[in-house]
Amino acid sequence: MARRAATVAFALLMFLASSPEPASSQSDGDPVTLGTYRVFRSEILGEDRVLQVRLPREYDASVLDYPVVYLFYSDWVELYYAEAVNTIAQLSANLMPQVILVGVPNTDRYRDLYPWPRADGWGGEADRFLRFVREELFPFIDSEYRTKDYRVMVGPQAAAVFGVYALLEAPQAFDGLIVNDPCRIDSEERSLCEALARFAASPEAAGHFFAVSHVERDERWPPTRLEALREELEESAVGDFRWRISTDPDWRLFLAPVHLRENLLALFQGYAFQLDRDIGGLSDVLSHYEGLSRRWGFAVDPPDLVLSQVSDRLTEAQRFPAALEVLDHLVAVHPSSVNGYWRLANLYRVTGDTANAIRYYRECLEREPDMPPALRWLERLGGGG
């Protein structure tokens, strides 16, 4: 398939860039970036499609693969996309895995997202759009970035309908759905939510996560069908099909909420590594994330921050061999991060291994040439201080 890919930086004020520290090249009036535009040709849809890609903070410094969150309606940059960037950045320190965020803006939302036409005749080509997602969008992202085989879809508004349609037609497409009320297109003749209730009782539903938000006072789509779905799920959903239905009795904002923060926390419940426990060494850290890997069905990796914090605790307790094992693992999976090398340099220095301390201070400067503490220690150690 012929693809034309272009990369264009895009920006939005008031949100932080992916770099943990300000770039030295910043000038007055420069925008603050939220990610990267990617453009590629869809032969299935017969049009160019624009994506917005936000990589994890650790991406360039690691050799790891990452799960992918697909956010629909991301053409609302100031609202849905910016909120997702901010929420994921806050949670991914130690409350959820680092993820790649892919925004999927609309071009013709009802055409693409509704499986059958609305009463006014709009829509009805979700089958074609699902082919685009599975045969073009997923392969494009998987070929351009280091991804794990775990996908979450965030579907505001009409994308909620498409999310349930995709779950029913291709259960393997997404492992988790975080959507608005998907029953809005249902009628007496055809009902996605009735089909979803039957799906949730089947073995295919095992391992999936499904979260719905709804505004009770929204007169366009009363919660009757959604409440019926709740009752069906309570009665017959298989045990390994995790679901949440939350309603807001008095939501006053224009756009309905997807409760992204709450639902990501529910999806990745138990992710946080507790630092206030007795930690023997690296095996305790790896054991925690291996348990999560078995639960969610993809390899969950310890983040840079957690490994750094564990090594600090072990070093403070003067358990130097255990701290060294943690740091060796950190630099193996995050080879471009300065965190591990800085801690290795200090560990070797306080244990009297000057040669290795000098070696790792130099490694710090390879990654961050203007690092005054490393320069000062190199000067002192080189001079016999």
Side-chain angles (χ1 to χ4, degrees):
M1 179 189 311
R3 288 197 182 102
R4 178 171 58 84
T7 304
V8 185
F10 74 100
L12 181 70
L13 294 178
M14 303 305 292
F15 285 86
L16 295 177
S18 60
S19 174
E21 297 183 4
S24 59
S25 60
Q26 287 176 347
S27 302
D28 180 48
D30 284 352
V32 180
T33 59
L34 277 179
T36 303
Y37 278 127
R38 301 300 308 270
V39 183
F40 75 104
R41 180 71 182 174
S42 168
E43 302 299 334
I44 291 174
L45 300 178
E47 61 188 15
D48 286 349
R49 295 296 303 208
V50 177
L51 307 174
Q52 298 140 317
V53 180
R54 172 75 170 188
L55 297 177
R57 174 174 165 173
E58 301 175 0
Y59 187 89
D60 289 334
S62 79
V63 295
L64 302 175
D65 301 333
Y66 297 90
V68 185
V69 172
Y70 287 90
L71 170 69
F72 288 69
Y73 270 75
S74 64
D75 40 306
W76 291 71
V77 175
E78 300 90 339
L79 298 171
Y80 292 126
Y81 186 78
E83 178 193 18
V85 170
N86 186 43
T87 298
I88 289 171
Q90 289 181 342
L91 298 183
S92 58
N94 192 26
L95 294 176
M96 64 171 282
Q98 296 272 350
V99 298
I100 296 171
L101 174 65
V102 177
V104 185
N106 292 315
T107 58
D108 189 334
R109 56 181 173 174
Y110 296 124
R111 177 201 70 184
D112 291 337
L113 300 176
Y114 277 8
W116 56 80
R118 303 192 316 174
D120 55 14
W122 285 16
E125 298 186 22
D127 56 342
R128 186 175 70 142
F129 194 70
L130 181 57
R131 282 189 56 218
F132 156 73
V133 168
R134 298 178 66 197
E135 298 175 22
E136 294 181 327
L137 175 59
F138 290 167
F140 177 77
I141 294 299
D142 291 343
S143 66
E144 294 289 311
Y145 304 100
R146 305 192 309 271
T147 62
K148 292 187 186 293
D149 187 19
Y150 192 84
R151 305 184 188 99
V152 177
M153 176 190 167
V154 181
Q157 302 191 45
V161 174
F162 175 76
V164 172
Y165 175 76
L167 179 62
L168 297 173
E169 294 294 316
Q172 72 279 11
F174 296 103
D175 300 275
L177 294 181
I178 299 174
V179 298
N180 288 143
D181 183 358
C183 304
R184 64 184 65 200
I185 200 174
D186 285 5
S187 66
E188 296 302 324
E189 295 77 24
R190 292 182 288 192
S191 171
L192 281 176
C193 283
E194 289 180 4
L196 175 61
R198 294 191 294 271
F199 170 82
S202 71
E204 282 188 300
H208 285 82
F209 177 85
F210 176 71
V212 177
S213 59
H214 183 77
V215 177
E216 286 183 357
R217 297 176 60 183
D218 192 336
E219 297 178 356
R220 297 169 297 172
W221 300 291
T224 308
R225 295 183 183 275
L226 192 60
E227 291 303 322
L229 174 62
R230 184 200 300 271
E231 293 176 5
E232 290 283 348
L233 295 179
E234 289 174 346
E235 181 176 335
S236 59
V238 296
D240 201 21
F241 179 73
R242 295 189 295 145
W243 60 275
R244 301 180 79 240
I245 296 178
S246 56
T247 56
D248 288 279
D250 192 23
W251 185 261
R252 298 183 181 275
L253 302 182
F254 173 65
L255 294 177
V258 292
H259 296 308
L260 184 60
R261 179 183 305 276
E262 297 89 337
N263 288 319
L264 285 174
L265 287 172
L267 171 57
F268 295 114
Q269 185 177 9
Y271 176 80
F273 183 82
Q274 302 300 323
L275 290 165
D276 56 356
R277 53 181 283 192
D278 181 34
I279 303 172
L282 179 62
S283 61
D284 292 333
V285 180
L286 297 181
S287 176
H288 172 75
Y289 292 100
E290 286 166 0
L292 299 177
S293 301
R294 291 189 295 271
R295 183 190 310 174
W296 296 327
F298 70 94
V300 182
D301 304 295
D304 184 338
L305 176 62
V306 169
L307 293 169
S308 298
Q309 291 173 326
V310 169
S311 74
D312 290 345
R313 278 202 55 194
L314 295 170
T315 300
E316 289 167 6
Q318 297 189 10
R319 298 167 66 180
F320 300 129
L324 179 60
E325 184 183 24
V326 172
L327 292 174
D328 283 341
H329 182 78
L330 195 162
V331 299
V333 297
H334 300 279
S336 295
S337 170
V338 74
N339 288 334
Y341 296 100
W342 172 248
R343 285 167 169 81
L344 280 169
N346 290 328
L347 177 61
Y348 281 118
R349 174 175 54 80
V350 299
T351 56
D353 189 339
T354 302
N356 269 319
I358 291 173
R359 169 192 169 189
Y360 283 109
Y361 284 128
R362 286 173 176 164
E363 291 280 3
C364 291
L365 295 174
E366 285 288 325
R367 289 150 183 82
E368 194 172 325
D370 186 18
M371 188 177 180
L375 289 168
R376 287 195 294 269
W377 276 116
L378 275 177
E379 182 178 358
R380 290 181 62 179
L381 295 176

